[in-house]
Coordinates of all heavy atoms in Angstrom, one line a residue:
R45 N 4.9 106.3 290.6 CA 4.2 105.0 290.4 C 4.5 104.4 289.0 O 4.6 103.2 288.9 CB 2.7 105.2 290.6 CG 1.9 103.9 290.5 CD 0.6 104.0 291.2 NE -0.1 105.3 291.0 CZ -0.9 105.5 289.9 NH1 -1.1 104.6 289.0 NH2 -1.5 106.7 289.8
L46 N 4.7 105.3 288.0 CA 5.1 104.8 286.7 C 6.5 104.3 286.6 O 6.8 103.3 286.0 CB 4.8 105.8 285.7 CG 3.3 106.2 285.4 CD1 3.2 107.4 284.5 CD2 2.6 105.0 284.8
T47 N 7.4 105.1 287.3 CA 8.8 104.8 287.2 C 9.4 103.9 288.3 O 10.4 103.3 288.1 CB 9.6 106.2 287.2 OG1 9.3 106.9 288.4 CG2 9.2 107.0 286.0
Q48 N 8.7 103.9 289.4 CA 9.2 103.1 290.6 C 8.0 102.3 291.2 O 7.7 102.4 292.4 CB 9.8 104.0 291.6 CG 10.9 104.9 291.1 CD 11.4 105.8 292.2 OE1 12.1 105.4 293.2 NE2 11.1 107.1 292.1
P49 N 7.3 101.5 290.4 CA 6.1 100.8 290.9 C 6.4 99.9 292.1 O 5.5 99.7 292.9 CB 5.6 100.1 289.7 CG 6.8 99.9 288.8 CD 7.6 101.1 289.0
D50 N 7.6 99.4 292.2 CA 7.9 98.4 293.2 C 8.5 99.1 294.5 O 8.9 98.4 295.5 CB 8.9 97.4 292.7 CG 8.3 96.5 291.6 OD1 7.1 96.2 291.7 OD2 9.1 96.1 290.7
K51 N 8.6 100.4 294.5 CA 9.1 101.1 295.7 C 8.2 100.8 296.9 O 7.0 101.0 296.8 CB 9.2 102.6 295.4 CG 9.9 103.3 296.5 CD 10.0 104.8 296.2 CE 10.8 105.6 297.3 NZ 11.0 107.0 296.9
P52 N 8.8 100.3 298.0 CA 8.0 99.9 299.1 C 7.5 101.1 300.0 O 8.3 102.1 300.1 CB 8.9 99.0 300.0 CG 10.3 99.5 299.6 CD 10.2 100.0 298.2
L53 N 6.4 101.0 300.6 CA 5.9 102.0 301.6 C 6.5 101.6 302.9 O 6.5 100.4 303.2 CB 4.4 102.0 301.6 CG 3.7 102.9 300.6 CD1 3.9 102.5 299.2 CD2 2.2 102.9 301.0
N54 N 6.9 102.6 303.7 CA 7.3 102.3 305.1 C 6.1 102.1 305.9 O 5.0 102.5 305.5 CB 8.3 103.3 305.6 CG 7.7 104.7 305.7 OD1 6.6 104.9 306.1 ND2 8.5 105.7 305.3
P55 N 6.2 101.6 307.1 CA 5.0 101.4 308.0 C 4.2 102.7 308.2 O 3.0 102.6 308.3 CB 5.6 100.8 309.3 CG 6.9 100.2 308.8 CD 7.4 101.0 307.7
R56 N 4.9 103.8 308.4 CA 4.2 105.0 308.7 C 3.4 105.4 307.5 O 2.2 105.8 307.6 CB 5.2 106.2 309.0 CG 4.5 107.5 309.3 CD 5.5 108.6 309.3 NE 6.2 108.8 308.0 CZ 5.7 109.3 306.9 NH1 4.4 109.7 306.9 NH2 6.4 109.4 305.8
Q57 N 3.9 105.4 306.3 CA 3.2 105.7 305.1 C 2.0 104.8 304.9 O 0.9 105.2 304.5 CB 4.2 105.6 303.9 CG 5.2 106.7 303.8 CD 6.3 106.4 302.8 OE1 6.6 105.2 302.5 NE2 6.8 107.5 302.2
H58 N 2.3 103.5 305.1 CA 1.2 102.5 304.9 C 0.0 102.8 305.8 O -1.1 102.7 305.4 CB 1.8 101.1 305.1 CG 0.9 100.0 304.5 ND1 1.2 98.7 304.7 CD2 -0.1 100.1 303.6 CE1 0.3 98.0 304.1 NE2 -0.5 98.8 303.4
Q59 N 0.3 103.0 307.1 CA -0.7 103.3 308.1 C -1.5 104.6 307.7 O -2.7 104.7 307.8 CB -0.2 103.4 309.5 CG -1.2 103.6 310.6 CD -2.3 102.5 310.5 OE1 -2.0 101.3 310.5 NE2 -3.6 102.9 310.5
A60 N -0.7 105.6 307.3 CA -1.4 106.9 306.9 C -2.3 106.7 305.8 O -3.4 107.3 305.7 CB -0.3 107.9 306.6
L61 N -1.9 105.9 304.8 CA -2.8 105.6 303.6 C -4.0 104.9 304.0 O -5.1 105.2 303.6 CB -2.0 104.9 302.5 CG -2.8 104.5 301.3 CD1 -3.4 105.8 300.7 CD2 -1.9 103.8 300.3
R62 N -3.8 103.9 304.9 CA -5.0 103.1 305.4 C -6.0 104.0 306.1 O -7.2 103.8 305.9 CB -4.5 102.0 306.3 CG -3.7 100.9 305.6 CD -3.2 99.8 306.6 NE -4.3 99.1 307.2 CZ -4.2 98.3 308.2 NH1 -3.0 98.0 308.8 NH2 -5.3 97.6 308.7
T63 N -5.5 104.9 306.9 CA -6.4 105.8 307.6 C -7.1 106.7 306.6 O -8.3 106.9 306.8 CB -5.6 106.6 308.6 OG1 -5.0 105.8 309.6 CG2 -6.5 107.6 309.3
A64 N -6.4 107.2 305.6 CA -7.0 108.1 304.7 C -8.1 107.4 303.8 O -9.2 107.9 303.6 CB -6.0 108.7 303.8

Side-chain angles (χ1 to χ4, degrees):
R45 182 158 42 86
L46 290 173
T47 59
Q48 306 175 72
D50 296 326
K51 186 173 182 177
L53 273 63
N54 63 43
R56 181 194 59 78
Q57 292 170 325
H58 199 191
Q59 182 56 51
L61 178 58
R62 292 178 64 187
T63 299

